[in-house]
Amino acid sequence: LDASADCVKILSTDGRLEMLNDAGLCLLELEDFEPLRGTRWPDLWPPECRPIVEEAMRTALSGGTGRFSAARPTARGNMRWWDVAVTPARDAAGNIARLVVSSRDVSEAKRHEDHIKLLLSEVNHRSKNLLAVVQALARQTARDESARAFVDRLGQRIAGLAASQDLLV
């Protein structure tokens, strides 16, 4: 388990921490695992996350794989986003003896996703503004123009607007 780059934990069937790999110590910014040994894993999550943590454990205890993504701070208070899988570990008789938790730090991907959402929101806002400008151009061009002249002048103005949009981009 120490060869994994992910944070890997072994839990008892009641959700208490039994082991944490070296990468987990590093990712969680912990100096020593011993103070956490025996702590209920769900209690280490913010209160609003505990229901999904508990649900993932119940899924694993019923033989499935519980999955969730959530944010929680490290020991030093740095917020990180985690993609978590909780799976059962069976004994020789096939009974679920422990739970294995693999947590991947997806903070950078989450920041990237949030940045893309921000950019898309800005594009949406600018598009609506651009449509308002087109509507104003159409109204201004329509004054005292024949239908053919209107179409020609509006086309020229929209082409100019498109050129300015190219410059902006």
Side-chain angles (χ1 to χ4, degrees):
L1 296 176
D2 282 330
S4 175
D6 292 336
C7 177
V8 180
K9 296 165 276 308
I10 303 295
L11 308 179
S12 62
T13 55
D14 65 351
R16 298 194 181 278
L17 287 165
E18 293 184 354
M19 180 270 197
L20 176 67
N21 69 341
D22 290 340
L25 284 171
C26 183
L27 289 167
L28 294 171
E29 297 180 323
L30 290 167
E31 298 295 323
D32 184 18
F33 171 68
E34 286 310 311
L36 292 178
R37 186 182 300 278
T39 303
R40 284 198 80 248
W41 179 60
D43 296 343
L44 298 175
W45 288 87
E48 64 274 11
C49 296
R50 291 179 189 155
I52 61 172
V53 174
E54 295 278 2
E55 178 60 29
M57 288 175 44
R58 280 191 296 278
T59 299
L61 287 169
S62 68
T65 298
R67 295 194 67 93
F68 66 91
S69 289
R72 81 175 283 278
T74 66
R76 294 186 186 149
N78 297 312
M79 191 58 72
R80 292 215 174 122
W81 275 89
W82 301 96
D83 181 35
V84 182
V86 184
T87 57
R90 299 182 184 275
D91 61 18
N95 300 313
I96 296 174
R98 289 182 175 68
L99 299 177
V100 178
V101 179
S102 178
S103 304
R104 177 161 292 166
D105 181 355
V106 294
S107 302
E108 190 60 36
K110 180 69 172 152
R111 278 190 287 278
H112 184 69
E113 178 184 315
D114 289 347
H115 185 68
I116 287 172
K117 285 179 183 176
L118 175 70
L119 292 175
L120 288 173
S121 177
E122 182 62 23
V123 167
N124 185 41
H125 176 74
R126 287 179 184 260
S127 296
K128 288 178 182 177
N129 285 347
L130 192 58
L131 290 172
V133 170
V134 169
Q135 187 177 34
L137 282 175
R139 283 191 182 123
Q140 183 180 356
T141 306
R143 292 184 195 160
D144 302 322
E145 301 251 358
S146 68
R148 181 160 200 84
F150 169 78
V151 170
D152 290 342
R153 297 238 329 126
L154 183 61
Q156 291 169 359
R157 288 182 172 180
I158 290 175
L161 190 59
S164 68
Q165 183 69 19
D166 286 341
L167 289 174
L168 178 65
V169 171

